[in-house]
């Protein structure tokens, strides 16, 4: 049975259901636009999920049926992002949540239903996998607001869709639909709205049922190999591989195969 905890005055929700943690951006009246307080909630929730050995996979979702996250809470822009100096302070205040997304050590899946815009797309791109309903839309409106996407987010966008598509999205500020987002590699799957929850749940359960050390090794290898060759930590990749071969889970996997049963992995 899922357990729920509220953060950021109830604007961020944390649920744990078996091996799956669910973090929900809960400001549907603003299409889940993220405020400074919500970023603090992101950090707290991910700290909790990181420390909970029961949690093996985390789903990020937006409350309601209109948006995943529609970006930063623009109502705070006049006070918090009025100029470059104010923007630096805003970055400092929200940095703990942003940094936690980058460093979180377990697989994350973005469940996208509706708008995934600007900062919301930046959040989704931080996850390992993105599944969206066919009524979702994606875009970066920075050029229409007179601001710019952060270097980290631009790099992630280029990694996913390539420089030509990144230029199109950033220069025009136009939105693309979920089918196009899947075609260009921005998301992993586009599904009918009625199948979104089931698809995301099955994906999370599949990952959670696999050997955690194997998943972690693959995740680490993908991250490192995505870096320039001179910056890759091949020794760390090999160490993660060795941990898998020395693990109880490897023995359990072999035994389960022999006995023709589902393995019960413990993550050690």
């Amino acid at each position: 049975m899922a357990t729920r905890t509220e953060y950021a005055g109830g604007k961020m929700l944390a649920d744990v259901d078996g091996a799956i943690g669910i973090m929900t951006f809960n400001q549907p009246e603003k299409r889940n636009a993220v405020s400074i307080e919500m970023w603090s909630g992101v950090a707290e929730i991910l700290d909790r999920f990181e420390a909970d050995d029961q949690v093996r996979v985390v789903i990020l979702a937006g409350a309601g049926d209109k948006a995943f996250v529609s970006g930063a809470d623009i109502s705070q822009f006049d006070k918090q992002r009025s100029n470059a100096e104010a923007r630096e302070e805003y970055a400092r205040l929200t940095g703990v949540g942003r940094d936690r997304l980058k460093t979180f050590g377990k697989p994350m899946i973005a469940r996208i239903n509706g708008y995934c815009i600007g900062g919301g797309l930046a959040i989704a791109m931080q996850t390992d996998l993105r599944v969206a309903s066919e009524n979702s839309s994606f875009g970066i409106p920075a050029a229409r607001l007179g601001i710019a996407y952060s270097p980290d987010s631009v790099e992630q966008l280029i990694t996913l869709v390539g420089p030509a598509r990144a230029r199109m999205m950033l220069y025009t500020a136009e939105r693309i639909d979920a089918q196009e987002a899947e075609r260009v590699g921005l998301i992993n799957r586009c599904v009918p709205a009625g199948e979104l929850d089931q698809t995301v749940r099955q994906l999370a359960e599949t990952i959670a049922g696999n050997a955690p050390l194997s998943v972690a090794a693959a995740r680490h290898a993908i991250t490192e190999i995505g870096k320039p060759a001179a910056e890759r930590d091949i020794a760390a990749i090999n160490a993660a591989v060795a941990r898998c071969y020395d693990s109880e889970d490897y023995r359990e996997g072999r035994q389960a195969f022999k006995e023709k049963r589902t393995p019960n992995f413990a993550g050690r």
Side-chain angles (χ1 to χ4, degrees):
M1 183 177 180
T3 59
R4 168 166 291 183
T5 308
E6 296 185 354
Y7 295 82
K11 292 182 179 180
M12 294 298 303
L13 306 176
D15 294 272
V16 176
D17 188 1
I20 300 171
I22 305 169
M23 181 170 72
T24 303
F25 296 86
N26 187 38
Q27 194 169 209
E29 69 279 6
K30 292 188 176 183
R31 293 179 176 174
N32 301 319
V34 185
S35 65
I36 291 173
E37 298 76 17
M38 290 168 71
W39 276 116
S40 296
V42 167
E44 292 179 70
I45 292 170
L46 293 181
D47 281 346
R48 173 189 169 188
F49 287 163
E50 186 88 79
D52 188 344
D53 290 338
Q54 178 182 344
V55 174
R56 296 185 179 179
V57 181
V58 171
I59 297 170
L60 274 60
D65 58 2
K66 300 296 184 183
F68 170 65
V69 173
S70 61
D73 189 341
I74 200 168
S75 69
Q76 296 185 328
F77 276 27
D78 285 345
K79 182 178 180 181
Q80 303 290 348
R81 300 174 75 177
S82 57
N83 54 41
E85 182 179 355
R87 187 261 177 192
E88 288 296 319
E89 177 63 10
Y90 175 86
R92 185 188 69 80
L93 292 171
T94 62
V96 63
R98 297 178 191 276
D99 290 344
R100 201 66 191 91
L101 271 175
K102 293 177 187 176
T103 61
F104 187 66
K106 300 177 182 181
M108 295 185 290
I109 304 169
R111 172 201 175 277
I112 301 166
N113 187 29
Y115 295 108
C116 184
I117 306 296
L121 180 54
I123 290 170
M125 290 192 299
Q126 289 279 7
T127 64
D128 298 89
L129 300 169
R130 289 157 295 282
V131 181
S133 63
E134 60 189 3
N135 61 310
S136 298
S137 62
F138 304 81
I140 303 166
R144 292 181 180 171
L145 293 171
I147 58 176
Y149 227 33
S150 71
D152 286 351
S153 296
V154 172
E155 182 180 18
Q156 289 170 332
L157 182 65
I158 292 170
T159 298
L160 291 173
V161 305
R165 172 56 65 174
R167 287 190 179 96
M168 183 70 78
M169 293 182 69
L170 290 166
Y171 295 0
T172 67
E174 293 177 349
R175 296 179 187 174
I176 61 174
D177 59 27
Q179 291 83 0
E180 177 70 0
E182 182 182 39
R183 188 186 70 79
V184 300
L186 190 60
I187 63 174
N188 298 88
R189 292 182 188 173
C190 168
V191 299
E195 298 176 13
L196 180 62
D197 286 332
Q198 181 182 4
T199 301
V200 172
R201 182 75 190 195
Q202 287 179 345
L203 181 58
E205 289 176 347
T206 296
I207 296 170
N210 288 333
L213 292 178
S214 296
V215 173
R219 192 172 189 257
H220 185 68
I222 291 167
T223 299
E224 289 298 319
I225 292 170
K227 298 176 181 178
E231 298 177 15
R232 296 172 188 167
D233 190 345
I234 301 300
I237 297 174
N238 288 331
V241 172
R243 281 195 296 274
C244 292
Y245 279 96
D246 288 337
S247 69
E248 294 178 17
D249 281 351
Y250 179 42
R251 291 189 288 275
E252 165 64 10
R254 299 197 313 270
Q255 190 64 33
F257 181 80
K258 292 175 184 177
E259 297 174 359
K260 296 181 172 56
R261 61 172 173 82
T262 301
N264 183 22
F265 294 120
R268 56 181 184 271

